[in-house]
Amino acid sequence: QQVLKLHHDLPEDSAQHEGALKFEELVEARTNHAIDVQIYANNALGDDVEVAQQMQFGAVQAAPIPTAKLSNFAPSLQLIDLPFLFPDRNTAYSVLDGKVGQSILDDLSDAGFVGASFWESGFKQLTCDKAVTAPSDLQGVKARVMESPLLIAQFEEMGATAIPIAFSETYSALQQGVVDCQENPIVSILNMKFYEVQDYMMLSNHGYLGTAFIFSKVWFDTLDADTQQILLEAAKEAGDFQRARSAELEAGYLDRIREAGTTDIVTLTPEQLSVFADAMEPVHAAFADKIGPDLVAEAKAEVASLRSGQ
Amino acid sequence: MTLRHIARGADRILSALEAVLLIALLVLSVAVLIADIALRVFANVALPWAAEATRYAIVWMVFIGGSPAARKGAHISIDALTETLPARHGLRLVRATLLASAAGCAVLAWYGWQLVRQMMMFHQRSPSLEWPMWMVYLALPIGFALMALRFAQVAASPPSAADRAALMS
Amino acid sequence: MLPSFTAVLLALLILGLPIFLTLALPVLGFLALTTPTPPVLVIQRLFSGIDKFPLMAIPFFILAGNLMATGGLSRRLNRLAIALVGPMPGGLAMTSVCSSMFFSAISGSSPATVVAVGKLMLPTMTEARYSKPFSIGLLMGAGSLGIVIPPSIFMIVYGSVTGVSIGALFMAGIGAGLVYGAAFLLVTYVYARMKGLAGTGGWSGAEILSALRDSAWGLAIPFIVLGGIYGGLFTPTEAAAVTVAYAAFVTLAIYREMDLRGLRDVLMDSAITTAQVMIIVASASAFAWYLTTSGFGMAVQSMLAGIGTDRLTVLIAINAVVLVAGMFLDPNSIVIILVPFLYTVATAAGIDPVHLGVMIAVNAAIGMFTPPLGLNLFVAGSLGITYRQAAVGSLPFIFVALAALVLIALVPEISLWLPAQIYPGIGE
Ligand code: NA
Ligand code: NA
């Protein structure tokens, strides 16, 4: 019996964990338990980047890892971080499940991974200690970002100061006022309790936080073709399930944040959102070379055609 | 005679190099972080790479610092058994653990080098400075190789009168 | 596999191999011989175990402590401490308890606290006839408290794993921290009374005033640090670097008791002390990975399966498990490996999740200085304390801390009163 250690970075009551359980169920049933899936939630084996390294030499076998974290291994993954690239979930799914997504997954192979499918954490929202309805509201404001030049550029385009702070220190930094704002999907805003120390949450949907479900390539290459096929399909099917649950749970998360009563939830109008989109647009051009200009163009064309088709 | 001179000269040069590197890394990490805080507080400007540079400087400092620590016998260990044994056996045990430490560090240096080679193949870059990550990880094979050398050096050198006295007491 | 692994580890420990090798080599060996996991994993954990920004408090507080000790700041502060509390039985030791609680609350790192406060207070305490084991036991015990008092990354991780409000956890930690600290102060007082350590003559107004004036620069440090953190100027970790800059400024520009040679020695000394301490933190992270993947959590789960819902039984069982785990694992690993399961057991028995978090934090803090593997016992080695002295010194304070823990476990109001004033639904 082979052990497949599966890492993810969220608690056990998340869509991600449900997806992992679904993956376990599918794989163990279809391989007649020749593979034993063991799930390590909550970064028990290390954070996403550390585990990705462990996967390169085969110490961990599978994980859904945020694409923003994988872009240090393969630059084309930054495509997904481009602000306002996807107008909604379905567009994101279509593009990522199509040719563009496949070419991104293929790029992971040189980094020692087998890219199987895309899962998600959801769209990122902006939280602040003041209401933000226009980019100019961010002028001179300090915003916490992860260590990512693209996300730093995104805030700097709006005149904010982007400050990378460790995820574990962000709550305190927001509480003491070292930074005024941060961006994350609703699931993380809830889990990390950022709403306790932020007065406003803007439903900005300004960026999509996708996760790439990857396998360790050195490990994957030792398996027979049938098992490989089972794993790839299970990653895809569990991913479809995970996305559906992610969208369902998000509505409940919003209610819980609202009920906590510490945060005003600000819905932005389409007009307001398009002002934000215009303000962040220069980031697309600035990072196109790094991501691959053709890929960016192809993704944008596909988004445009999906839009007009609707 | 000459061999001993060469060894002593090499030891002195290596120790001096280590000292310069360690002090530079520590001063650099404080300076970068203070500059980052000051710019943010007084000019609302961020140095996005400051935290990353600090972390990597300290990681290098830790693994290089393991070398002078080994030479000075400063690595923390439980000396209860060596204290209890009669001096002659205690000294033998100390020698044996020093040699085992040298061997252990050599193994870690070798695996460290394996990891660096793998990372060279995969082109991972650091998030902010976008440095190749294998260069940062290089601290481990270098640090452990130096530690192996130092543990062997201490094992080979005859124990000083002070060491003997410490064991007798 | 776990029993034979533990046996190898303890054997290496007793033979006197450096602690970092004692932790790293068995992991490497067992990975190579008994699992398909490539041993290079150990190297990856050694690196990423210390590649964490919050851990940078360790080098900076060590450097700040050394600068203060060598540059004259400590001498002046100690003079003030002696003038103020010297005549009181146990006054100096109580000062140590308070400084340790302050440092560890800020840094959240008990190794950094033990080293920094130890460099400051150990020589003075030794001079005042406190025994080394007592002094180091006190410093380790009080310095472990940082994860209980806010801000605390432990509480943040606990909150994100369990869904409990982090703000409420921070507040609950204050009450528990006060009880724990009070227990230490009380024992110190009793010990000093028994040993006749009612220090130096009597109080002298003139000496107090003069010492106050003399130590003004040093006295400003807590205000700068706390003011900077709560004023939103810098994070607790950055506060450590600010302390270094401030201590360097006072030492080099105001007091001028240290020349460049002295500065070089302080830097070199701090670099080596940091290496001594952090290389152990690094290998402890490889050790935690091994425990996580070799069924440690499962073992605990099957042990506690069917424990039932009797409140007292569950309380005792949970505290016993975390206490034992705390001897081997760092606090954050305990949260990640054990808490998801303990949370289910505890809530079924009607234990408030905030109260549970505080108990586990106090418990994990005790584990930090409990033999054989409590990290602070090793860290004390960098202060010239032998392991045996540290272990012997820790014992009485483990009992003190356990007494505080029992109180905190049996009286939830200690933790829950403060958060219940603000957060609805707590402790009901
Ligand atoms: Na399983
Ligand atoms: Na703290």
Side-chain angles (χ1 to χ4, degrees):
Chain A
Q1 201 186 26
Q2 286 239 30
V3 170
L4 183 158
K5 289 200 270 294
L6 193 166
H7 148 95
H8 73 81
D9 62 2
L10 287 174
E12 293 178 0
D13 60 357
S14 58
Q16 191 141 275
H17 195 70
E18 290 183 28
L21 288 170
K22 171 66 86 181
F23 176 82
E24 172 177 12
E25 178 195 319
L26 294 174
V27 169
E28 292 184 350
R30 290 175 188 174
T31 61
N32 283 321
H33 295 268
I35 289 183
D36 173 19
V37 177
Q38 295 176 356
I39 301 170
Y40 292 90
N42 279 318
N43 287 329
L45 303 177
D47 67 28
D48 289 310
V49 173
E50 292 163 19
V51 169
Q53 287 172 346
Q54 293 170 20
M55 294 175 75
Q56 286 180 322
F57 51 79
V60 176
Q61 286 73 36
I65 300 214
T67 54
K69 299 281 171 64
L70 284 173
S71 60
N72 301 315
F73 296 86
S76 64
L77 281 133
Q78 285 187 79
L79 173 80
I80 298 159
D81 287 336
L82 287 176
F84 290 105
L85 179 66
F86 302 123
D88 53 47
R89 276 199 155 88
N90 284 332
T91 310
Y93 298 162
S94 300
V95 174
L96 292 176
D97 295 346
K99 235 180 80 197
V100 170
Q102 193 54 50
S103 115
I104 293 173
L105 290 177
D106 291 345
D107 285 346
L108 284 166
S109 149
D110 283 343
F113 308 116
V114 175
S117 65
F118 287 99
W119 295 21
E120 70 167 26
S121 281
F123 279 97
K124 287 184 289 187
Q125 319 297 341
L126 181 70
T127 69
C128 275
D129 58 13
K130 64 174 188 176
V132 172
T133 53
S136 56
D137 293 335
L138 289 171
Q139 191 70 42
V141 157
K142 297 189 190 77
R144 180 269 169 185
V145 286
M146 26 182 252
E147 284 179 329
S148 154
L150 190 149
L151 298 178
I152 290 167
Q154 166 198 291
F155 276 101
E156 285 178 345
E157 286 298 337
M158 299 182 289
T161 309
I163 301 170
I165 289 180
F167 196 49
S168 62
E169 285 197 311
T170 304
Y171 180 93
S172 297
L174 292 167
Q175 189 177 39
Q176 317 302 358
V178 176
V179 283
D180 317 300
C181 300
Q182 67 85 37
E183 54 154 27
N184 258 300
I186 297 173
V187 57
S188 301
I189 294 171
L190 182 83
N191 280 327
M192 295 305 289
K193 316 283 169 215
F194 294 145
Y195 63 91
E196 292 182 358
V197 286
Q198 294 269 267
D199 294 333
Y200 294 89
M201 174 158 101
M202 276 52 72
L203 297 180
S204 50
N205 292 318
H206 62 277
Y208 180 71
L209 209 152
T211 55
F213 192 98
I214 55 178
F215 293 103
S216 158
K217 191 167 187 300
V218 276
W219 175 79
F220 194 84
D221 288 347
T222 64
L223 304 171
D224 61 70
D226 289 344
T227 312
Q228 290 181 343
Q229 197 54 35
I230 289 172
L231 289 174
L232 291 173
E233 279 167 11
K236 181 87 189 66
E237 285 177 45
D240 292 340
F241 173 76
Q242 191 272 344
R243 283 171 174 175
R245 288 297 291 150
S246 160
E248 279 164 31
L249 288 175
E250 219 167 59
Y253 294 159
L254 260 184
D255 288 340
R256 279 167 64 186
I257 293 174
R258 199 175 281 123
E259 280 161 17
T262 51
T263 310
D264 281 347
I265 298 177
V266 179
T267 311
L268 299 170
T269 64
E271 292 73 32
Q272 286 170 329
L273 285 174
S274 82
V275 179
F276 276 104
D278 290 345
M280 299 188 206
E281 178 71 25
V283 175
H284 290 221
F287 282 80
D289 275 347
K290 225 172 176 180
I291 298 166
D294 296 343
L295 189 71
V296 175
E298 200 180 336
K300 289 186 144 186
E302 212 176 314
V303 170
S305 85
L306 284 163
R307 258 190 172 151
S308 61
Q310 274 165 0
Chain B
M1 188 63 189
T2 31
L3 202 64
R4 190 180 290 171
H5 273 115
I6 293 171
R8 209 175 289 160
D11 174 61
R12 212 173 296 146
I13 292 171
L14 184 57
S15 298
L17 282 177
E18 285 169 353
V20 169
L21 187 61
L22 290 175
I23 291 173
L25 287 168
L26 186 53
V27 171
L28 193 80
S29 61
V30 177
V32 164
L33 212 49
I34 291 295
D36 178 40
I37 299 166
L39 281 172
R40 187 177 71 222
V41 170
F42 297 114
N44 204 9
V45 172
L47 297 180
W49 44 268
E52 189 177 288
T54 303
R55 288 191 337 254
Y56 295 162
I58 295 297
V59 167
W60 267 85
M61 193 189 84
V62 167
F63 288 104
I64 299 299
S67 171
R71 197 175 92 96
K72 295 180 180 182
H75 277 294
I76 300 165
S77 61
I78 294 183
D79 45 13
L81 188 58
T82 37
E83 274 181 4
T84 324
L85 288 174
R88 202 156 42 90
H89 296 295
L91 209 56
R92 266 195 206 134
L93 181 61
V94 170
R95 276 247 165 95
T97 56
L98 281 168
L99 286 175
S101 304
C105 286
V107 171
L108 289 172
W110 188 80
Y111 277 114
W113 176 242
Q114 296 307 308
L115 184 60
V116 167
R117 277 186 45 197
Q118 283 187 19
M119 299 191 82
M120 282 171 163
M121 265 163 38
F122 290 133
H123 315 294
Q124 183 198 351
R125 288 183 174 269
S126 73
S128 288
L129 293 161
E130 309 196 344
W131 285 343
M133 277 309 282
W134 65 263
M135 287 190 185
V136 189
Y137 270 76
L138 201 56
L140 284 105
I142 293 179
F144 282 119
L146 287 172
M147 280 183 248
L149 187 70
R150 296 307 206 173
F151 277 122
Q153 181 189 350
V154 180
S157 65
S160 67
D163 292 341
R164 273 209 201 91
L167 275 168
M168 299 295 221
S169 64
Chain C
M1 210 48 70
L2 277 176
S4 52
F5 175 81
T6 314
V8 170
L9 193 145
L10 291 178
L12 294 181
L13 199 69
I14 291 166
L15 284 174
L17 211 67
I19 307 297
F20 78 94
L21 291 172
T22 301
L23 292 170
L25 291 179
V27 175
L28 192 122
F30 274 73
L31 285 181
L33 298 175
T34 67
T35 72
T37 302
V40 285
L41 175 95
V42 173
I43 305 295
Q44 199 269 343
R45 290 315 303 163
L46 284 170
F47 177 91
S48 48
I50 54 172
D51 179 31
K52 307 246 180 290
F53 190 71
L55 288 181
M56 299 304 124
I58 296 179
F60 295 145
F61 272 133
I62 286 174
L63 176 55
N66 276 336
L67 279 171
M68 290 170 70
T70 316
L73 270 163
S74 304
R75 199 185 64 240
R76 290 171 171 84
L77 285 171
N78 282 331
R79 181 185 158 200
L80 179 68
I82 289 169
L84 279 176
V85 300
M88 202 171 98
L92 262 186
M94 292 186 184
T95 312
S96 293
V97 172
C98 296
S99 326
S100 292
M101 284 174 65
F102 175 78
F103 252 94
S104 72
I106 297 302
S107 70
S109 158
S110 53
T113 306
V114 171
V115 179
V117 182
K119 291 236 164 162
L120 221 69
M121 296 302 298
L122 255 188
T124 321
M125 286 179 74
T126 312
E127 213 171 291
R129 296 188 295 120
Y130 289 91
S131 80
K132 268 196 177 170
F134 174 84
S135 307
I136 197 64
L138 184 78
L139 287 168
M140 290 188 304
S144 299
L145 199 57
I147 58 169
V148 182
I149 305 174
S152 156
I153 289 183
F154 174 92
M155 296 293 196
I156 291 176
V157 178
Y158 179 89
S160 73
V161 168
T162 58
V164 172
S165 158
I166 294 166
L169 286 164
F170 277 12
M171 288 190 166
I174 294 176
L178 287 177
V179 165
Y180 186 105
F184 270 65
L185 290 176
L186 183 72
V187 167
T188 305
Y189 181 80
V190 171
Y191 173 88
R193 261 283 149 90
M194 275 165 45
K195 293 267 167 178
L197 289 170
T200 49
W203 277 279
S204 143
E207 168 63 9
I208 290 178
L209 267 182
S210 151
L212 261 177
R213 213 173 302 128
D214 195 30
S215 59
W217 286 98
L219 281 180
I221 290 177
F223 295 97
I224 293 173
V225 167
L226 284 183
I229 292 173
Y230 288 95
L233 296 181
F234 39 73
T235 65
T237 309
E238 290 170 341
V242 173
T243 313
V244 169
Y246 181 80
F249 168 75
V250 173
T251 301
L252 297 172
I254 311 273
Y255 291 163
R256 303 189 192 188
E257 286 175 23
M258 190 166 43
D259 54 9
L260 274 179
R261 203 193 172 85
L263 180 64
R264 187 196 64 188
D265 290 346
V266 163
L267 287 167
M268 191 63 188
D269 196 31
S270 306
I272 293 180
T273 306
T274 303
Q276 286 174 292
V277 171
M278 285 184 83
I279 206 164
I280 296 178
V281 174
S283 42
S285 140
F287 177 68
W289 197 96
Y290 180 76
L291 279 194
T292 307
T293 54
S294 42
F296 180 73
M298 298 291 184
V300 169
Q301 285 201 24
S302 57
M303 236 169 66
L304 287 189
I307 179 96
T309 56
D310 175 58
R311 209 182 134 87
L312 193 64
T313 317
V314 170
L315 267 180
I316 293 171
I318 287 181
N319 278 301
V321 160
V322 178
L323 200 64
V324 173
M327 294 175 200
F328 296 92
L329 282 172
D330 64 290
N332 289 344
S333 302
I334 290 178
V335 181
I336 290 166
I337 300 173
L338 297 181
V339 159
F341 171 69
L342 295 181
Y343 178 81
T344 320
V345 176
T347 42
I351 297 168
D352 186 278
V354 173
H355 185 212
L356 178 72
V358 172
M359 279 190 302
I360 293 178
V362 173
N363 230 321
I366 298 173
M368 291 296 285
F369 64 103
T370 302
L373 291 178
L375 189 59
N376 285 339
L377 297 163
F378 305 133
V379 168
S382 70
L383 296 166
I385 304 272
T386 67
Y387 178 80
R388 199 193 308 198
Q389 285 173 327
V392 167
S394 71
L395 289 177
F397 291 102
I398 291 172
F399 286 108
V400 177
L402 285 177
L405 174 64
V406 169
L407 201 61
I408 290 163
L410 294 182
V411 189
E413 288 76 18
I414 292 172
S415 323
L416 300 183
W417 182 82
L418 192 58
Q421 307 306 308
I422 298 193
Y423 295 85
I426 280 178
E428 282 166 7

